[in-house]
Amino acid sequence: MAQIGEPETSQSDDAARAGWLYYVGGLTQDQIARELGVSRQRAQRLVSRAMAEGLIHVRLEHRIAACLDLEARLTRRFDLTRCRIAPSPGPSGDPIASIAPTAAAELERFLRMPGPLVIALGTGRALRAMVDAMEGLEAEQHRLVSMIGNIAPDGSASFFDVIMRIADKVRAPHYPMPVPVVSETAEERAAFHALAPVRRVVDLARAADVIFVGVGQMGPTAPLVADGFVSLAEMAEMESRGAVGEIAGWIFDSQGQYLDVGTNERVGGVRVPPERSNPVIGVAAGPAKVAPITAALRSRILNGLITDEATARAVLDGL
């Protein structure tokens, strides 16, 4: 029962947020109490209410009003086709764990469409978490294709490639991009792309009806550095030329303009062109992602976004 002067919607919002922080963010009830500014006893009651009312089933079933407001503001500001904001997991939580169920539900929405679609996927930690959070389903009418190469520098399969992982959950034809993520030289990249099987996969990716991609930042913590695709020296050189982020391996500046530098001469995947009419949905969250997300939205490399509250607020506050 809501208290006098406190609407039921606010009570449900608090319960949903508390349940999310407990089951997704991994916070203790003491930490939830501090995060929400309530007593420990109230935090305990809110978590219990979230479960009793079915607000949490691994995924958040209640749309928190603050998230809906952020979705509306971002949609208006950037004319987005899709926008979904997950509750932030708290200061000690993993934002990828927070957004993965929301992203999975959005991907499942397309997979359940009866008409055949070509669904293209990037790679990376957020996309892998999205696929791990998916339910198994039959979607034989669709084709799934990778936007980025699947060969690591040592010749092994790229650890965060998602096409083969999604194949375990979705009964749909799937097409890996059989090239290095980043080739040694521009000539090597051209040789791979001259092969007929590669051309067919590239053409399929370019014709995608919907695209889901991660968003990478620059600097020493960049996925391209962490996964061994570029050296720290090459990363520093690209940053000196204005690089702030990457999508599907393609580097862009603060205005979302692709740069003719560094790995862009050797990247094996398909570039997402700005102003694409079909949905291009970025899946990313965290402080390091704010600048690249903002740049990609400005230029409309992305016309859809799945992120968390803190990241969404930071994007809007930085405009």
Side-chain angles (χ1 to χ4, degrees), residues 4-307:
I4 295 175
E6 185 172 11
E8 183 68 20
T9 299
S10 175
Q11 289 270 300
S12 295
D13 284 358
D14 288 347
R17 191 181 300 278
W20 187 259
L21 291 171
Y22 185 78
Y23 290 101
V24 178
L27 273 63
T28 66
Q29 291 177 357
D30 285 334
Q31 290 171 320
I32 293 169
R34 287 194 295 270
E35 182 73 14
L36 298 183
V38 300
S39 68
R40 187 184 187 282
Q41 291 75 19
R42 179 161 171 75
Q44 184 178 29
R45 289 196 297 271
L46 288 169
V47 171
S48 298
R49 176 172 176 169
M51 294 305 297
E53 296 187 3
L55 303 182
I56 303 290
H57 297 282
V58 180
R59 297 178 182 178
L60 182 67
E61 299 294 339
H62 178 81
R63 302 295 299 282
I64 292 176
C67 295
L68 293 172
D69 177 64
L70 288 167
E71 290 174 6
R73 291 171 61 193
L74 282 165
T75 298
R76 287 194 302 268
R77 175 61 180 82
F78 294 105
D79 190 26
L80 300 181
T81 61
R82 301 291 296 176
C83 186
R84 292 291 178 265
I85 308 300
S88 292
S92 61
D94 179 5
I96 290 179
S98 177
I99 66 172
T102 301
E106 189 66 12
L107 176 55
E108 289 166 11
R109 186 179 72 86
F110 285 99
L111 289 168
R112 290 192 173 97
M113 291 182 179
L117 298 173
V118 176
I119 301 173
L121 297 159
T123 188
R125 292 156 180 79
L127 272 277
R128 176 169 168 166
M130 174 186 74
V131 171
D132 287 346
M134 285 178 55
E135 298 176 358
L137 53 89
E138 300 283 336
E140 295 179 352
Q141 70 275 31
H142 304 310
R143 288 178 289 174
L144 309 175
V145 60
S146 179
M147 292 290 293
I148 194 167
N150 67 347
I151 302 174
D154 64 358
S156 64
S158 177
F159 185 70
F160 292 104
D161 183 69
V162 301
I163 284 293
M164 301 308 295
R165 204 171 188 89
I166 198 173
D168 292 334
K169 292 194 171 184
V170 180
R171 301 300 181 187
H174 53 283
Y175 302 82
M177 184 75 66
V179 300
V181 176
V182 179
S183 293
E184 291 288 335
T185 65
E187 291 75 19
E188 181 182 276
R189 177 191 180 278
F192 274 108
H193 278 253
L195 299 173
V198 175
R199 289 202 307 271
R200 284 193 285 270
V201 176
V202 168
D203 289 344
L204 187 64
R206 287 175 174 161
D209 297 293
V210 59
I211 299 172
F212 285 80
V213 287
V215 181
Q217 73 274 20
M218 297 291 98
T221 63
L224 288 173
V225 173
D227 298 333
F229 297 116
V230 303
S231 66
L232 284 171
E234 186 171 17
M235 175 57 66
E237 169 63 19
M238 291 190 293
E239 285 188 282
S240 73
R241 302 286 293 275
V244 301
E246 57 89 7
I247 286 176
W250 291 89
I251 307 295
F252 52 82
D253 65 16
S254 62
Q255 299 304 308
Q257 303 300 311
Y258 289 116
L259 299 170
D260 294 325
V261 298
T263 55
N264 279 4
E265 300 172 347
R266 300 177 282 115
V267 66
V270 174
R271 177 184 289 193
V272 180
E275 300 288 351
R276 207 170 187 276
S277 57
N278 291 336
V280 182
I281 300 170
V283 182
K289 307 295 184 180
V290 173
I293 288 172
T294 304
L297 291 174
R298 278 184 178 135
S299 65
R300 292 189 65 76
I301 295 173
L302 299 177
N303 58 33
L305 179 64
I306 298 170
T307 191

